[in-house]
Amino acid sequence: MFHLALLYLLAASSSCVHAQQYISAPSYPSPWASGGPGWDEAYAKAKDFVSQLTLVEKVNLTTGTGNQADLCTGNTGSVPRLGFRHLCLQDGPNGVRYTDLNSVFPAGISAAATWSRSLLRRRGLALGEEFRGKGIDVMLGPVVGPLGRDPAGGRNWEGFSPDPYLSGVAVAETVKGTQEAGVVACVKHYILNEQEHFRSGISSNLDDRTMHELYLWPFADAVRAGVGSVMCSYNRINNTFACENTQALNYLLKNELSFQGFVMSDWGAQHSGAISALSGLDMAMPGDGPRNSYGSYWGGALTEMVLNGTIPQWRIDDMALRIMAAFYKVGRDMKRVDINYSSWVNATSGPRYFASKTGNTTVNQHVNVQGEHSSLIREIGAKSIVLLKNVGHSLPLRKPSSIAVIGEDAQDNPRGPNACVDRICNTGTLAMGWGSATAEYPYLIAPATALESQAKGDGTVFSNFKSNWDLPGARAAVGNASVAIVFVNADAGEGYKDLDGNLGDRKNLTLWNGGDSLVEAVASVNPNTIVVIHSVGPVLIDHIKTHPNVTAMLWAGLPGQESGNAITDVLYGRVNPQGKTPFTWGKHAGDWGVATLNATGIAPQQVFSEGSFIDYRHFDLAGIEPSFEFGFGLSYTNFTYSNLTITPTNGTAYQPDTGKSAPAPTFGVVDRNASSALAPKSFPKVPRFIYPWINDVNALNSSGSGTVPAGSQDGSPQNLLPAGGAPGGNPGLYDIVYSIRVLITNTGALPGTEIAQLYVSLGGPDDPKVVLRGFDDVELSPGQSKEVVFAVTRRDISSWDPVTQNWIASPYPKGVYIGTSSRQIMLHDNLSRDILT
Ligand code: NOJ
């Protein structure tokens, strides 16, 4: 009998759910890295390196030196004896945070709206190049947690889409691009940090099937893509904190998904010393923690715990090995440059060690890492725009006689684009949300600026009315314009700070700054009103969609620094819109079927009772008509679909992984003489730095280590899991079982790109109506046809079976739906059942 990955206990007699009913079952020991596809060379190099380290040197790699202690967002200790500089970790994920001469990229949600693997890959590569140029080892991104269960979730925009397949493709391409540039990617936040309210205490409670089919899915893709690090999140999962959740870290991530890199804590998400180490945490960030004599759960405390036997040598070796394997995997040993900026100081000179204000030196060399990325940012910005409505060929614009640009969201922030720290304001045009995912703009092209310059070239009369609140003024400004373009927005961010009562999560799904009234005012007098929305996710806009004077609507997401140029490219047809919405637009706040939990108590219980029915899966199940469905987006041209063929491919039968791991390896020898773990005499310690040395050879239990969970120290061979076997899970899951072909033709008059989408119905009574399982961007000139081939994998047609702890292709009849959105299906057929499952 297999051990259930996540215990899901629901009281049979009552719908009332108590905290103790959701329990995360323990899983020990923490699996040790073993190399494997894509990791063998890095593993060998890491093994050589770690074998030379002393205990304190190993510990130094695992523990941050403290908040703001050194130059980067996160800083580990170093190994000076071997000339190894400390590791530098930096936010992420939309640009290099806290520096200058960097780019600001379209946010994750906009990148996802391109549905373009190649653009996602190029974005990942460009991000990686910028991080590399600043001397950073680890980019703290991309994000697939939150996935986007709650449309109001404050950080959804940092990630890609509430659809796990689209998120999975996007995260994999981003990871590959970033790591190709020689920077370790860190996929975050693992896992179920789906809202900002109570993020540090909330328990996200869910069942094993939902975990696998929804939330874990994109993390599996990240692991399969070779991601070097994973950040565990603030929240609890079934009542155990994510950074000491053995089900999440040991069982799912390191065993089932065979993750070979390292797990770091989110900042302050570590809550224990020995327990987190035995639960699979490999790096503590930013390092400082409790008020013990080390100021840390780890550092010297971890050294003590190894010396007193609480933490076996194999576990500390595994931590160090995983960290170094990630380092070598992306070629950091060949590509490292000096850290040439400080996160905490803008001036050229200042304290190297900011927390203690010591070590004055040149901290900012102002290295320009922007390369040619502005053109890619503009391209992604334009290609992520979703054309939601276009009546009577209102768009593209062709030298209109006059345009009136209306609204704050079209303007510069009068105090500059970086005036608000971490973008915690919504002044001027919105091109990113707020929080740790922000970066400083090198510049921000406001829509009004770009449209004015276009108008000048065209001989169009241009006017610009900036206020959202002076409605008579807005009406007067658009009365005679041949086109009125109204810009509106909705913001969200990270919950360490609220903005206008929005504690990260949005308090409602309406437009900000009176956007609804502004649109109404403009559309009441101008029969050719175009509405552009910059937003972090869906907003309630059905009244705009149905307004007869609104001739066009566009969702321009969070486009980054080239915002104005990108929207102008689309409005004027230089780029034919191809974006598709990566989430569903409901008509009412209740349409999504979930709400932000507002509760009190130490561990508020957020029960994911909807299972995997979030976003379009919920709308389909509940029969709710959205304003715009998942995958929707118009073009200036037309496409037809024909010639659907489905070919089962001769795969091999699915083999569950069996057998046992090798025993836990150790690397080098731990000197058990505790005096070797004391700081060298007269070492010039940096004040407030966290070091790996112990305080006292006679007090090796000072950190409170002691009894540990059964099995947690066991380094003997362990059972492998049936769904495991290689990074990302059982390799058989990725066998192609069907090849599906369809012909797409551009029947319109303009060149354009269609995003062809493949949905599958898995057919069971508990399955969603359809799930996305393929997409491709097909560029076509007028009259041209191209064949699209969708490679459907075994995973794509399988469901998670909690009993066997494996994926199975159920016996239910399965259908294939090819379309231009989740609801506009052009072709349909059934899948034959003769494949080997
Ligand atoms: C907390 C955020 O949740 C995380 O995303 C970020 O990387 C760290 N802070 C460091 O800024």
Side-chain angles (χ1 to χ4, degrees), residues 508-798:
N508 56 45
L509 297 180
T510 53
L511 292 168
W512 285 38
N513 295 332
D516 290 310
S517 310
L518 183 68
V519 171
E520 181 53 43
V522 170
S524 70
V525 291
N526 191 302
N528 191 13
T529 298
I530 294 169
V531 178
V532 179
I533 303 157
H534 286 119
S535 76
V536 290
V539 274
L540 305 177
I541 42 152
D542 216 56
H543 55 290
I544 301 177
K545 174 186 173 185
T546 52
H547 196 298
N549 282 353
V550 174
T551 51
M553 285 169 76
L554 304 102
W555 178 65
L558 298 174
Q561 69 192 41
E562 288 283 334
S563 175
N565 288 333
I567 188 68
T568 306
D569 286 345
V570 168
L571 290 171
Y572 283 83
R574 282 188 294 275
V575 172
N576 187 347
Q578 66 179 74
K580 302 276 187 175
T581 175
F583 50 79
T584 303
W585 300 66
K587 295 181 184 171
H588 311 281
D591 283 358
W592 285 262
V594 290
T596 313
L597 180 71
N598 242 316
T600 50
I602 295 171
Q605 301 288 302
Q606 173 77 296
V607 182
F608 289 25
S609 50
E610 72 288 346
S612 71
F613 290 86
I614 65 168
D615 201 72
Y616 68 89
R617 299 157 177 229
H618 169 75
F619 281 76
D620 287 348
L621 179 72
I624 297 171
E625 185 67 38
S627 287
F628 299 106
E629 73 272 14
F630 176 80
F632 178 84
L634 302 169
S635 166
Y636 298 151
T637 186
N638 298 309
F639 303 98
T640 58
Y641 287 63
S642 59
N643 300 15
L644 169 64
T645 61
I646 304 180
T647 318
T649 48
N650 280 331
T652 45
Y654 183 54
Q655 302 290 351
D657 202 32
T658 53
K660 285 187 181 288
S661 69
T666 52
F667 306 108
V669 177
V670 166
D671 185 346
R672 295 274 158 197
N673 175 3
S675 57
S676 66
L678 290 167
K681 284 217 163 50
S682 69
F683 181 87
K685 283 191 175 174
V686 175
R688 300 185 55 180
F689 235 57
I690 290 161
Y691 288 101
W693 293 302
I694 59 170
N695 294 332
D696 181 351
V697 291
N698 297 313
L700 294 184
N701 271 324
S702 68
S703 54
S705 49
T707 327
V708 296
S712 61
Q713 297 169 321
D714 182 4
S716 66
Q718 298 294 314
N719 287 336
L720 300 173
L721 297 175
N730 193 314
L733 293 171
Y734 300 92
D735 287 347
I736 294 164
V737 292
Y738 294 100
S739 183
I740 298 181
R741 288 160 198 274
V742 65
L743 196 69
I744 318 278
T745 306
N746 181 349
T747 55
L750 293 170
T753 296
E754 169 69 330
I755 311 293
Q757 301 165 38
L758 167 82
Y759 293 85
V760 168
S761 66
L762 297 169
D766 302 328
D767 290 320
K769 185 175 171 206
V770 292
V771 289
L772 180 71
R773 286 297 187 254
F775 60 84
D776 205 0
D777 50 331
V778 196
E779 197 178 335
L780 296 165
S781 41
Q784 195 188 3
S785 300
K786 271 189 203 162
E787 190 178 59
V788 177
V789 184
F790 298 105
V792 177
T793 66
R794 179 174 280 113
R795 180 170 79 140
D796 291 334
I797 54 149
S798 296

Side-chain angles (χ1 to χ4, degrees), residues 440-458:
E440 303 302 289
Y441 289 108
Y443 59 83
L444 171 56
I445 309 281
T449 309
L451 287 166
E452 179 169 19
S453 131
Q454 173 79 35
K456 251 186 222 161
D458 289 349

Side-chain angles (χ1 to χ4, degrees), residues 341-466:
Y341 71 100
S342 164
S343 297
W344 323 113
V345 175
N346 291 330
T348 301
S349 303
R352 152 87 194 256
Y353 307 112
F354 187 76
S356 60
K357 307 282 187 302
T358 59
N360 264 339
T361 183
T362 300
V363 285
N364 284 307
Q365 290 167 34
H366 310 289
V367 176
N368 188 338
V369 291
Q370 297 166 94
E372 305 296 312
H373 300 156
S374 60
S375 57
L376 174 66
I377 291 168
R378 179 171 180 165
E379 184 180 353
I380 298 174
K383 291 183 174 171
S384 60
I385 290 171
V386 182
L387 180 62
L388 295 169
K389 177 179 180 181
N390 190 17
V391 180
H393 299 289
S394 153
L395 291 177
L397 299 175
R398 297 170 198 85
K399 300 192 177 184
S401 57
S402 58
I403 62 171
V405 173
I406 309 298
E408 291 177 9
D409 183 66
Q411 318 300 327
D412 290 319
N413 179 335
R415 294 187 299 126
N418 299 316
C420 313
V421 173
D422 291 349
R423 309 296 86 79
I424 309 176
C425 67
N426 184 4
T427 311
T429 195
L430 181 72
M432 66 169 113
W434 78 82
S436 64
T438 52
E440 303 302 289
Y441 289 108
Y443 59 83
L444 171 56
I445 309 281
T449 309
L451 287 166
E452 179 169 19
S453 131
Q454 173 79 35
K456 251 186 222 161
D458 289 349
T460 295
V461 175
F462 175 83
S463 64
N464 181 11
F465 188 79
K466 301 183 180 179

Side-chain angles (χ1 to χ4, degrees), residues 142-144 160 166-176 187 218 221-222 225:
V143 171
V144 287
F160 301 105
L166 177 54
S167 259
V169 170
V171 76
E173 294 299 339
T174 309
V175 164
K176 286 182 199 158
V187 64
D221 287 311

